Amino acid sequence: MATSLTKKGLIAASDKVIVAARPALEIISQFTTDFSDEAVKPGTGIAVDVLSASAETFDKDSANYGHATNTIKNFLVATDIRKKSTFALDDLDCIEDETAHCWNKFGGASGRAVAVELVKSVTGKLTRTARDAAITLAGSTLADFLALAAYIEGTAKIDPSTCVLLLEPSTHKLLCSLLTASVVGDGGVIRGVAIGQALGFKAIYSAPTIVRDSAADSDGKGKGFIVPENALAIVNRVVKPLKGAVGDLVEYGEFTDEISGITLTERVVVDGKRGEAYWTTEGLFGSKLTKLNTDGNATGAPGYYQIVVS
């Protein structure tokens, strides 16, 4: 974990934050494309270019070097999800002590709280109304789950090894019951890749935040989504404090998870009159489906598919 924090207590706490957040961040990184480095400045939206290419037979009159076959289209991904998690402390001295009991509790709790909001902001874009098509899960056998990959490869013409399968928890547990223990493992997030590869996908994860309606609101027949790795764009920026006079701010830093590339920030402010310190973990995010641009026109990027039961 890369960090710009200085006080040893905060560094220890940020380690706990990112460890707690990592499972959610790793899942998101499996099926999204991160365009954070393309931002003009922190807090702004990002104009993302979507390239679509095709090939043609050369003809010196009609299909020569001056005839374009490819397109470049763009859309804006707004950083519109800003979430923070704050604890109030009674003693500022605990910031200097990485062994203080509070860090064992605060770091993990704040990390999970912010990471969950990131997951919701991404999976919330997956709905029945915006799907490319619905794929029926015909039964509860391993062959029925393998048929999902066959559909993606044969009908949708997409390589399933570039797709992530997100299943609501009970359906995910059903699939796990059909696989050997050597594939499922101990339930750690990294096993999502192993389970996915067993069925031909990039990864398969339990996704409790996805919608479960398929044909009508709350019908409960939606069981998950198949998401190509470039179907969603995410944006992650940082919220920096004002330069110059910083008031009661006593510490600010940024820490980045090496696995997902996601950056969260951490700051501590004090209220001298009350003898209190407020420790905050914060994230600024945005996500958008890449298939359509701002005007609703196709960009050439892939869509996604919903899994339903009859």
Side-chain angles (χ1 to χ4, degrees):
M1 180 201 68
T3 180
S4 62
L5 298 170
T6 58
K7 290 184 172 59
K8 61 182 181 179
L10 284 176
I11 293 173
S14 67
D15 283 335
K16 294 179 175 64
V17 166
I18 210 66
V19 168
R22 180 166 286 168
L25 302 184
E26 183 174 338
I27 291 172
I28 290 299
S29 69
Q30 289 288 327
F31 63 91
T32 59
T33 301
D34 187 355
F35 292 97
S36 298
D37 291 339
E38 306 297 327
V40 176
K41 61 181 180 179
T44 65
I46 295 177
V48 176
D49 289 329
V50 178
L51 308 182
S52 180
S54 62
E56 64 180 356
T57 301
F58 177 83
D59 183 281
K60 64 180 180 180
D61 295 319
S62 61
N64 54 37
Y65 301 117
H67 182 258
T69 60
N70 306 333
T71 62
I72 303 175
K73 300 180 180 180
N74 63 74
F75 63 93
L76 186 71
V77 182
T79 48
D80 53 1
I81 305 297
R82 181 177 179 179
K83 298 293 182 178
K84 74 172 188 69
S85 182
T86 302
F87 282 101
L89 310 178
D90 290 329
D91 189 350
L92 190 58
D93 291 337
C94 68
I95 296 175
E96 301 292 347
D97 181 10
E98 72 273 22
T99 64
H101 74 281
C102 60
W103 299 124
N104 293 323
K105 299 177 181 178
F106 291 178
S110 291
R112 285 187 294 271
V114 175
V116 164
E117 294 303 325
L118 171 58
V119 172
K120 289 180 179 178
S121 75
V122 174
T123 59
K125 299 295 189 300
L126 305 174
T127 66
R128 62 182 175 86
T129 55
R131 69 192 184 192
D132 269 27
I135 309 172
T136 299
L137 180 62
S140 57
T141 68
L142 186 58
D144 294 318
F145 284 97
L146 287 168
L148 299 176
Y151 177 96
I152 291 297
E153 184 174 10
T155 303
K157 306 300 182 184
I158 299 175
D159 183 356
S161 69
T162 66
C163 300
V164 172
L165 180 56
L166 302 176
L167 296 172
E168 60 86 22
S170 62
T171 304
H172 180 265
K173 299 306 181 288
L174 170 62
L175 172 59
C176 290
S177 72
L178 302 174
L179 300 171
T180 63
S182 61
V183 173
V184 177
D186 59 4
V189 68
I190 195 62
R191 287 301 190 184
V193 176
I195 296 172
Q197 291 175 346
L199 272 71
F201 290 102
K202 181 179 181 180
I204 298 176
Y205 293 110
S206 177
T209 62
I210 59 173
V211 298
R212 302 184 189 184
D213 55 306
S214 64
D217 288 339
S218 302
D219 67 359
K221 295 183 178 181
K223 298 302 178 183
F225 295 94
I226 299 175
V227 188
E229 58 189 9
N230 295 320
L232 271 160
I234 63 170
V235 174
N236 169 216
R237 304 308 295 161
V238 297
V239 182
K240 294 180 179 290
L242 294 173
K243 294 181 179 180
V246 295
D248 292 332
L249 179 68
V250 296
E251 179 77 352
Y252 167 81
E254 303 162 11
F255 50 101
T256 302
D257 176 42
E258 291 89 347
I259 292 180
S260 66
I262 296 296
T263 298
L264 300 178
T265 61
E266 193 167 303
R267 69 176 71 195
V268 175
V269 297
V270 298
D271 184 337
K273 294 179 180 179
R274 294 179 58 87
E276 292 181 335
Y278 298 88
W279 178 76
T280 295
T281 298
E282 185 172 21
L284 178 62
F285 311 108
S287 62
K288 188 181 177 104
L289 297 171
T290 59
K291 185 177 181 179
L292 301 178
N293 64 14
T294 304
D295 298 324
N297 299 317
T299 63
Y304 64 90
Y305 299 81
Q306 187 179 26
I307 301 166
V308 301
V309 294
S310 57

